[in-house]
Amino acid sequence: MPYRRGWHARWAFGSAFMILGATAAVACGTQAVSRNRGMPAVTSTSSTTEPVTTTTTTTTTTTTTTTTTNVLRPPALPTPSTTTTLLPFTILGALPAGRPLSGKVIGVDPGHNGLNYTDPAYLDQQVWNGREYEDCDTTGTQTPNGYTEAQFNFNVATYLASDLENEGAGVVLTRSTNNGIGPCVDQRAEILNEAQSAVAIDIHADGGPPSGRGFAILLPVADGLNDAVIGSSQAFGEDVLSNFSATGMPISTYDGTDGFSYRDDLAGLNLTTVPKVLIECGNMQNSTDASVLTSTAFQQSAAVALADAITAFVG
């Protein structure tokens, strides 16, 4: 869930005093992953001195320096469902044969971060979004049972990175963990721009009206900096719409028109210089969508659908 108008309201677990520098490192790696996985381990590397993150095949130890004083911890998250039958969505499994994305760099931005709620001052700092100043970031939304959007976003992004690497792509992530703060939304855009991504996607879930269902694709509006990628972003959005519909998640009943919502108030879209869309994968405030979004099987299927869309656009 982005953090501006409409149903994109902020929530927080409580106050705390934790400051964590959010940085990440970039690399292009490959990782062979079986499509018949349950909850696969994904190896990653990160650095506290470079602003970009990627996954690789080498398992390393990640060191993060934090300064913590009486940090509040959120309640334990419910375990995602692993049910694979009688679910109101379609389980996708097959990726294109071969390595159609070899030599391509793909940008993936899992929205928010798991400890954002601990540092309101960090979130409230103002950044330029290409049109106006806005908050650095928000906590994101959650299901009524407390499953966080930040966790959902990170899970899908991790599965997607594995799928894309299996197709030969180098994947640039804006964060490599769900146990940090930030980065700010303008920094996320900069990370993916500087990587010269062939295409990029921001992964979110919405916090809309409880009666509303479905996914929506948010598209950029020309504002100068992003003018050159408006047409290509629209084309990519159409690939995402077609492929994500195959998951069985319906098109949003409350956000946008026919699955598309044009936004001029989001830094990630305003500041992009590469083809990009933001997807709200469903509505966490709707009980039906929530049960789907927290399912491991759906998160994996969502990743496959996004990988298929990326391959269709780039391959």
mmCIF file of all heavy atoms in Angstrom, residues 40-85:
data_model
loop_
_atom_site.group_PDB
_atom_site.id
_atom_site.type_symbol
_atom_site.label_atom_id
_atom_site.label_comp_id
_atom_site.label_asym_id
_atom_site.label_seq_id
_atom_site.Cartn_x
_atom_site.Cartn_y
_atom_site.Cartn_z
ATOM 1 N N PRO A 40 10.811 -21.922 -0.014
ATOM 2 C CA PRO A 40 12.234 -22.109 -0.278
ATOM 3 C C PRO A 40 13.095 -21.099 0.444
ATOM 4 O O PRO A 40 12.702 -19.962 0.646
ATOM 5 C CB PRO A 40 12.326 -21.903 -1.790
ATOM 6 C CG PRO A 40 11.216 -20.954 -2.075
ATOM 7 C CD PRO A 40 10.124 -21.334 -1.119
ATOM 8 N N ALA A 41 14.285 -21.525 0.796
ATOM 9 C CA ALA A 41 15.258 -20.586 1.338
ATOM 10 C C ALA A 41 15.853 -19.814 0.190
ATOM 11 O O ALA A 41 16.190 -20.378 -0.839
ATOM 12 C CB ALA A 41 16.355 -21.339 2.105
ATOM 13 N N VAL A 42 15.991 -18.519 0.350
ATOM 14 C CA VAL A 42 16.586 -17.676 -0.673
ATOM 15 C C VAL A 42 17.817 -17.034 -0.088
ATOM 16 O O VAL A 42 17.758 -16.415 0.979
ATOM 17 C CB VAL A 42 15.592 -16.587 -1.134
ATOM 18 C CG1 VAL A 42 16.262 -15.669 -2.143
ATOM 19 C CG2 VAL A 42 14.356 -17.227 -1.732
ATOM 20 N N THR A 43 18.940 -17.202 -0.756
ATOM 21 C CA THR A 43 20.150 -16.609 -0.228
ATOM 22 C C THR A 43 20.274 -15.198 -0.705
ATOM 23 O O THR A 43 19.860 -14.853 -1.795
ATOM 24 C CB THR A 43 21.379 -17.420 -0.675
ATOM 25 O OG1 THR A 43 21.401 -17.453 -2.101
ATOM 26 C CG2 THR A 43 21.314 -18.834 -0.127
ATOM 27 N N SER A 44 20.858 -14.343 0.112
ATOM 28 C CA SER A 44 21.007 -12.953 -0.269
ATOM 29 C C SER A 44 22.247 -12.395 0.379
ATOM 30 O O SER A 44 22.756 -12.918 1.361
ATOM 31 C CB SER A 44 19.784 -12.129 0.157
ATOM 32 O OG SER A 44 19.701 -12.088 1.551
ATOM 33 N N THR A 45 22.712 -11.300 -0.231
ATOM 34 C CA THR A 45 23.816 -10.573 0.370
ATOM 35 C C THR A 45 23.430 -9.144 0.495
ATOM 36 O O THR A 45 22.616 -8.645 -0.258
ATOM 37 C CB THR A 45 25.089 -10.692 -0.490
ATOM 38 O OG1 THR A 45 24.818 -10.121 -1.771
ATOM 39 C CG2 THR A 45 25.527 -12.138 -0.644
ATOM 40 N N SER A 46 24.004 -8.455 1.473
ATOM 41 C CA SER A 46 23.720 -7.042 1.625
ATOM 42 C C SER A 46 24.948 -6.349 2.169
ATOM 43 O O SER A 46 25.817 -6.973 2.759
ATOM 44 C CB SER A 46 22.523 -6.804 2.554
ATOM 45 O OG SER A 46 22.841 -7.232 3.843
ATOM 46 N N SER A 47 25.008 -5.053 1.958
ATOM 47 C CA SER A 47 26.132 -4.263 2.439
ATOM 48 C C SER A 47 25.612 -2.986 3.028
ATOM 49 O O SER A 47 24.610 -2.450 2.572
ATOM 50 C CB SER A 47 27.081 -3.960 1.267
ATOM 51 O OG SER A 47 28.035 -2.999 1.658
ATOM 52 N N THR A 48 26.288 -2.511 4.032
ATOM 53 C CA THR A 48 25.853 -1.262 4.652
ATOM 54 C C THR A 48 26.538 -0.060 4.039
ATOM 55 O O THR A 48 26.400 1.037 4.521
ATOM 56 C CB THR A 48 26.147 -1.294 6.160
ATOM 57 O OG1 THR A 48 27.541 -1.511 6.355
ATOM 58 C CG2 THR A 48 25.327 -2.367 6.835
ATOM 59 N N THR A 49 27.280 -0.270 2.927
ATOM 60 C CA THR A 49 27.975 0.858 2.329
ATOM 61 C C THR A 49 27.503 1.171 0.925
ATOM 62 O O THR A 49 27.919 2.144 0.339
ATOM 63 C CB THR A 49 29.493 0.589 2.277
ATOM 64 O OG1 THR A 49 29.740 -0.575 1.479
ATOM 65 C CG2 THR A 49 30.049 0.401 3.679
ATOM 66 N N GLU A 50 26.652 0.336 0.347
ATOM 67 C CA GLU A 50 26.146 0.592 -0.996
ATOM 68 C C GLU A 50 24.633 0.727 -0.934
ATOM 69 O O GLU A 50 23.976 0.088 -0.136
ATOM 70 C CB GLU A 50 26.507 -0.577 -1.940
ATOM 71 C CG GLU A 50 28.009 -0.728 -2.152
ATOM 72 C CD GLU A 50 28.598 0.445 -2.900
ATOM 73 O OE1 GLU A 50 27.870 1.074 -3.678
ATOM 74 O OE2 GLU A 50 29.773 0.740 -2.715
ATOM 75 N N PRO A 51 24.039 1.554 -1.837
ATOM 76 C CA PRO A 51 22.608 1.850 -1.735
ATOM 77 C C PRO A 51 21.706 0.887 -2.443
ATOM 78 O O PRO A 51 20.585 1.210 -2.728
ATOM 79 C CB PRO A 51 22.525 3.242 -2.392
ATOM 80 C CG PRO A 51 23.596 3.204 -3.436
ATOM 81 C CD PRO A 51 24.700 2.378 -2.840
ATOM 82 N N VAL A 52 22.179 -0.323 -2.817
ATOM 83 C CA VAL A 52 21.355 -1.215 -3.611
ATOM 84 C C VAL A 52 21.512 -2.639 -3.119
ATOM 85 O O VAL A 52 22.550 -3.009 -2.591
ATOM 86 C CB VAL A 52 21.745 -1.133 -5.098
ATOM 87 C CG1 VAL A 52 20.750 -1.906 -5.946
ATOM 88 C CG2 VAL A 52 21.822 0.306 -5.547
ATOM 89 N N THR A 53 20.496 -3.500 -3.336
ATOM 90 C CA THR A 53 20.505 -4.864 -2.836
ATOM 91 C C THR A 53 20.153 -5.836 -3.945
ATOM 92 O O THR A 53 19.359 -5.520 -4.807
ATOM 93 C CB THR A 53 19.465 -5.020 -1.717
ATOM 94 O OG1 THR A 53 19.793 -4.109 -0.688
ATOM 95 C CG2 THR A 53 19.466 -6.435 -1.159
ATOM 96 N N THR A 54 20.742 -7.024 -3.938
ATOM 97 C CA THR A 54 20.360 -8.081 -4.876
ATOM 98 C C THR A 54 20.515 -9.420 -4.198
ATOM 99 O O THR A 54 21.161 -9.528 -3.155
ATOM 100 C CB THR A 54 21.204 -8.031 -6.163
ATOM 101 O OG1 THR A 54 20.681 -9.001 -7.070
ATOM 102 C CG2 THR A 54 22.656 -8.338 -5.870
ATOM 103 N N THR A 55 19.936 -10.466 -4.774
ATOM 104 C CA THR A 55 20.125 -11.817 -4.260
ATOM 105 C C THR A 55 21.165 -12.539 -5.093
ATOM 106 O O THR A 55 21.327 -12.285 -6.272
ATOM 107 C CB THR A 55 18.803 -12.598 -4.308
ATOM 108 O OG1 THR A 55 18.343 -12.605 -5.665
ATOM 109 C CG2 THR A 55 17.783 -11.975 -3.413
ATOM 110 N N THR A 56 21.919 -13.463 -4.463
ATOM 111 C CA THR A 56 22.926 -14.241 -5.168
ATOM 112 C C THR A 56 22.854 -15.672 -4.702
ATOM 113 O O THR A 56 22.099 -16.015 -3.789
ATOM 114 C CB THR A 56 24.347 -13.688 -4.900
ATOM 115 O OG1 THR A 56 24.686 -13.968 -3.547
ATOM 116 C CG2 THR A 56 24.430 -12.201 -5.123
ATOM 117 N N THR A 57 23.683 -16.528 -5.311
ATOM 118 C CA THR A 57 23.695 -17.935 -4.925
ATOM 119 C C THR A 57 24.611 -18.220 -3.750
ATOM 120 O O THR A 57 24.716 -19.337 -3.300
ATOM 121 C CB THR A 57 24.135 -18.792 -6.124
ATOM 122 O OG1 THR A 57 25.412 -18.341 -6.561
ATOM 123 C CG2 THR A 57 23.137 -18.660 -7.254
ATOM 124 N N THR A 58 25.308 -17.228 -3.265
ATOM 125 C CA THR A 58 26.248 -17.436 -2.159
ATOM 126 C C THR A 58 25.621 -17.018 -0.846
ATOM 127 O O THR A 58 25.130 -15.899 -0.727
ATOM 128 C CB THR A 58 27.530 -16.614 -2.385
ATOM 129 O OG1 THR A 58 28.104 -17.018 -3.627
ATOM 130 C CG2 THR A 58 28.519 -16.851 -1.245
ATOM 131 N N THR A 59 25.608 -17.942 0.108
ATOM 132 C CA THR A 59 25.057 -17.624 1.417
ATOM 133 C C THR A 59 26.125 -16.911 2.232
ATOM 134 O O THR A 59 27.228 -17.408 2.418
ATOM 135 C CB THR A 59 24.630 -18.899 2.147
ATOM 136 O OG1 THR A 59 23.657 -19.561 1.338
ATOM 137 C CG2 THR A 59 24.046 -18.552 3.512
ATOM 138 N N THR A 60 25.799 -15.729 2.712
ATOM 139 C CA THR A 60 26.737 -14.980 3.531
ATOM 140 C C THR A 60 26.053 -14.541 4.801
ATOM 141 O O THR A 60 24.854 -14.672 4.965
ATOM 142 C CB THR A 60 27.260 -13.737 2.775
ATOM 143 O OG1 THR A 60 26.156 -12.872 2.526
ATOM 144 C CG2 THR A 60 27.937 -14.104 1.481
ATOM 145 N N THR A 61 26.854 -14.013 5.711
ATOM 146 C CA THR A 61 26.303 -13.507 6.961
ATOM 147 C C THR A 61 26.093 -12.020 6.830
ATOM 148 O O THR A 61 26.998 -11.278 6.464
ATOM 149 C CB THR A 61 27.253 -13.787 8.132
ATOM 150 O OG1 THR A 61 27.434 -15.197 8.225
ATOM 151 C CG2 THR A 61 26.672 -13.235 9.431
ATOM 152 N N THR A 62 24.865 -11.564 7.103
ATOM 153 C CA THR A 62 24.551 -10.147 6.992
ATOM 154 C C THR A 62 24.732 -9.487 8.349
ATOM 155 O O THR A 62 24.195 -9.954 9.349
ATOM 156 C CB THR A 62 23.093 -9.956 6.539
ATOM 157 O OG1 THR A 62 22.950 -10.576 5.269
ATOM 158 C CG2 THR A 62 22.758 -8.473 6.430
ATOM 159 N N THR A 63 25.480 -8.417 8.385
ATOM 160 C CA THR A 63 25.730 -7.700 9.630
ATOM 161 C C THR A 63 25.056 -6.358 9.560
ATOM 162 O O THR A 63 25.261 -5.593 8.628
ATOM 163 C CB THR A 63 27.238 -7.495 9.854
ATOM 164 O OG1 THR A 63 27.873 -8.776 9.878
ATOM 165 C CG2 THR A 63 27.483 -6.766 11.172
ATOM 166 N N THR A 64 24.224 -6.069 10.519
ATOM 167 C CA THR A 64 23.524 -4.791 10.557
ATOM 168 C C THR A 64 23.791 -4.148 11.904
ATOM 169 O O THR A 64 23.611 -4.776 12.949
ATOM 170 C CB THR A 64 22.007 -4.985 10.389
ATOM 171 O OG1 THR A 64 21.784 -5.680 9.163
ATOM 172 C CG2 THR A 64 21.300 -3.638 10.363
ATOM 173 N N THR A 65 24.226 -2.908 11.877
ATOM 174 C CA THR A 65 24.489 -2.191 13.118
ATOM 175 C C THR A 65 23.284 -1.357 13.466
ATOM 176 O O THR A 65 22.792 -0.594 12.653
ATOM 177 C CB THR A 65 25.721 -1.275 12.956
ATOM 178 O OG1 THR A 65 26.841 -2.094 12.588
ATOM 179 C CG2 THR A 65 26.009 -0.547 14.259
ATOM 180 N N THR A 66 22.760 -1.510 14.649
ATOM 181 C CA THR A 66 21.583 -0.764 15.066
ATOM 182 C C THR A 66 21.833 -0.142 16.426
ATOM 183 O O THR A 66 22.655 -0.603 17.212
ATOM 184 C CB THR A 66 20.341 -1.674 15.180
ATOM 185 O OG1 THR A 66 20.595 -2.677 16.150
ATOM 186 C CG2 THR A 66 20.017 -2.320 13.848
ATOM 187 N N THR A 67 21.090 0.928 16.678
ATOM 188 C CA THR A 67 21.090 1.536 18.007
ATOM 189 C C THR A 67 19.667 1.435 18.520
ATOM 190 O O THR A 67 18.756 1.972 17.904
ATOM 191 C CB THR A 67 21.511 3.013 17.934
ATOM 192 O OG1 THR A 67 22.824 3.067 17.361
ATOM 193 C CG2 THR A 67 21.505 3.640 19.318
ATOM 194 N N THR A 68 19.459 0.721 19.602
ATOM 195 C CA THR A 68 18.113 0.403 20.049
ATOM 196 C C THR A 68 17.929 0.798 21.502
ATOM 197 O O THR A 68 18.769 0.502 22.346
ATOM 198 C CB THR A 68 17.850 -1.113 19.910
ATOM 199 O OG1 THR A 68 18.152 -1.507 18.567
ATOM 200 C CG2 THR A 68 16.406 -1.434 20.247
ATOM 201 N N THR A 69 16.800 1.449 21.764
ATOM 202 C CA THR A 69 16.458 1.774 23.145
ATOM 203 C C THR A 69 14.993 1.428 23.375
ATOM 204 O O THR A 69 14.115 2.068 22.806
ATOM 205 C CB THR A 69 16.679 3.274 23.427
ATOM 206 O OG1 THR A 69 18.025 3.617 23.112
ATOM 207 C CG2 THR A 69 16.375 3.577 24.876
ATOM 208 N N ASN A 70 14.724 0.381 24.137
ATOM 209 C CA ASN A 70 13.360 -0.004 24.480
ATOM 210 C C ASN A 70 12.471 -0.087 23.249
ATOM 211 O O ASN A 70 11.429 0.540 23.171
ATOM 212 C CB ASN A 70 12.763 1.008 25.475
ATOM 213 C CG ASN A 70 13.530 1.025 26.781
ATOM 214 O OD1 ASN A 70 14.045 -0.001 27.216
ATOM 215 N ND2 ASN A 70 13.611 2.203 27.399
ATOM 216 N N VAL A 71 12.898 -0.853 22.253
ATOM 217 C CA VAL A 71 12.129 -0.973 21.021
ATOM 218 C C VAL A 71 10.893 -1.828 21.252
ATOM 219 O O VAL A 71 10.984 -2.939 21.756
ATOM 220 C CB VAL A 71 12.989 -1.605 19.905
ATOM 221 C CG1 VAL A 71 12.156 -1.834 18.655
ATOM 222 C CG2 VAL A 71 14.165 -0.700 19.595
ATOM 223 N N LEU A 72 9.740 -1.295 20.870
ATOM 224 C CA LEU A 72 8.509 -2.070 20.958
ATOM 225 C C LEU A 72 8.504 -3.114 19.856
ATOM 226 O O LEU A 72 8.896 -2.843 18.734
ATOM 227 C CB LEU A 72 7.293 -1.162 20.796
ATOM 228 C CG LEU A 72 6.985 -0.220 21.960
ATOM 229 C CD1 LEU A 72 5.780 0.639 21.613
ATOM 230 C CD2 LEU A 72 6.698 -1.019 23.218
ATOM 231 N N ARG A 73 8.065 -4.295 20.149
ATOM 232 C CA ARG A 73 7.953 -5.349 19.151
ATOM 233 C C ARG A 73 6.484 -5.566 18.806
ATOM 234 O O ARG A 73 5.625 -5.521 19.685
ATOM 235 C CB ARG A 73 8.544 -6.663 19.677
ATOM 236 C CG ARG A 73 10.029 -6.561 19.964
ATOM 237 C CD ARG A 73 10.823 -6.297 18.696
ATOM 238 N NE ARG A 73 12.241 -6.211 18.958
ATOM 239 C CZ ARG A 73 13.139 -5.881 18.060
ATOM 240 N NH1 ARG A 73 12.756 -5.577 16.834
ATOM 241 N NH2 ARG A 73 14.412 -5.810 18.362
ATOM 242 N N PRO A 74 6.170 -5.812 17.526
ATOM 243 C CA PRO A 74 4.780 -6.058 17.163
ATOM 244 C C PRO A 74 4.343 -7.416 17.675
ATOM 245 O O PRO A 74 5.179 -8.262 17.999
ATOM 246 C CB PRO A 74 4.820 -6.038 15.635
ATOM 247 C CG PRO A 74 6.207 -6.499 15.304
ATOM 248 C CD PRO A 74 7.073 -5.926 16.400
ATOM 249 N N PRO A 75 3.051 -7.664 17.754
ATOM 250 C CA PRO A 75 2.593 -9.000 18.134
ATOM 251 C C PRO A 75 3.058 -10.012 17.104
ATOM 252 O O PRO A 75 3.321 -9.676 15.956
ATOM 253 C CB PRO A 75 1.060 -8.850 18.134
ATOM 254 C CG PRO A 75 0.793 -7.674 17.264
ATOM 255 C CD PRO A 75 1.953 -6.749 17.462
ATOM 256 N N ALA A 76 3.196 -11.255 17.526
ATOM 257 C CA ALA A 76 3.646 -12.309 16.621
ATOM 258 C C ALA A 76 2.711 -12.397 15.428
ATOM 259 O O ALA A 76 1.480 -12.342 15.563
ATOM 260 C CB ALA A 76 3.686 -13.650 17.366
ATOM 261 N N LEU A 77 3.292 -12.539 14.249
ATOM 262 C CA LEU A 77 2.484 -12.632 13.046
ATOM 263 C C LEU A 77 1.870 -14.021 12.941
ATOM 264 O O LEU A 77 2.514 -15.016 13.274
ATOM 265 C CB LEU A 77 3.340 -12.369 11.808
ATOM 266 C CG LEU A 77 3.960 -10.986 11.704
ATOM 267 C CD1 LEU A 77 4.803 -10.885 10.442
ATOM 268 C CD2 LEU A 77 2.875 -9.925 11.686
ATOM 269 N N PRO A 78 0.635 -14.107 12.450
ATOM 270 C CA PRO A 78 0.045 -15.428 12.237
ATOM 271 C C PRO A 78 0.813 -16.169 11.150
ATOM 272 O O PRO A 78 1.348 -15.568 10.233
ATOM 273 C CB PRO A 78 -1.391 -15.114 11.791
ATOM 274 C CG PRO A 78 -1.324 -13.723 11.263
ATOM 275 C CD PRO A 78 -0.272 -13.021 12.065
ATOM 276 N N THR A 79 0.903 -17.477 11.273
ATOM 277 C CA THR A 79 1.581 -18.275 10.260
ATOM 278 C C THR A 79 0.760 -18.296 8.988
ATOM 279 O O THR A 79 -0.436 -18.586 9.018
ATOM 280 C CB THR A 79 1.768 -19.724 10.759
ATOM 281 O OG1 THR A 79 2.510 -19.695 11.978
ATOM 282 C CG2 THR A 79 2.495 -20.557 9.719
ATOM 283 N N PRO A 80 1.377 -17.956 7.824
ATOM 284 C CA PRO A 80 0.623 -17.980 6.572
ATOM 285 C C PRO A 80 0.064 -19.368 6.302
ATOM 286 O O PRO A 80 0.691 -20.381 6.611
ATOM 287 C CB PRO A 80 1.661 -17.587 5.518
ATOM 288 C CG PRO A 80 2.731 -16.885 6.284
ATOM 289 C CD PRO A 80 2.755 -17.530 7.630
ATOM 290 N N SER A 81 -1.106 -19.402 5.712
ATOM 291 C CA SER A 81 -1.705 -20.667 5.360
ATOM 292 C C SER A 81 -0.901 -21.341 4.261
ATOM 293 O O SER A 81 -0.396 -20.695 3.356
ATOM 294 C CB SER A 81 -3.143 -20.437 4.866
ATOM 295 O OG SER A 81 -3.653 -21.604 4.251
ATOM 296 N N THR A 82 -0.765 -22.658 4.330
ATOM 297 C CA THR A 82 -0.101 -23.400 3.266
ATOM 298 C C THR A 82 -1.097 -24.293 2.530
ATOM 299 O O THR A 82 -0.723 -25.196 1.799
ATOM 300 C CB THR A 82 1.032 -24.260 3.845
ATOM 301 O OG1 THR A 82 0.503 -25.121 4.872
ATOM 302 C CG2 THR A 82 2.128 -23.401 4.439
ATOM 303 N N THR A 83 -2.374 -24.041 2.726
ATOM 304 C CA THR A 83 -3.405 -24.822 2.054
ATOM 305 C C THR A 83 -3.281 -24.660 0.551
ATOM 306 O O THR A 83 -3.147 -23.559 0.042
ATOM 307 C CB THR A 83 -4.803 -24.357 2.491
ATOM 308 O OG1 THR A 83 -4.904 -24.480 3.902
ATOM 309 C CG2 THR A 83 -5.888 -25.197 1.828
ATOM 310 N N THR A 84 -3.343 -25.734 -0.183
ATOM 311 C CA THR A 84 -3.208 -25.657 -1.639
ATOM 312 C C THR A 84 -4.430 -26.216 -2.356
ATOM 313 O O THR A 84 -4.396 -26.428 -3.556
ATOM 314 C CB THR A 84 -1.962 -26.419 -2.099
ATOM 315 O OG1 THR A 84 -2.027 -27.772 -1.626
ATOM 316 C CG2 THR A 84 -0.700 -25.775 -1.585
ATOM 317 N N THR A 85 -5.515 -26.488 -1.633
ATOM 318 C CA THR A 85 -6.742 -26.950 -2.272
ATOM 319 C C THR A 85 -7.909 -26.123 -1.776
ATOM 320 O O THR A 85 -7.878 -25.534 -0.699
ATOM 321 C CB THR A 85 -7.001 -28.432 -1.953
ATOM 322 O OG1 THR A 85 -7.099 -28.599 -0.525
ATOM 323 C CG2 THR A 85 -5.883 -29.299 -2.483
#
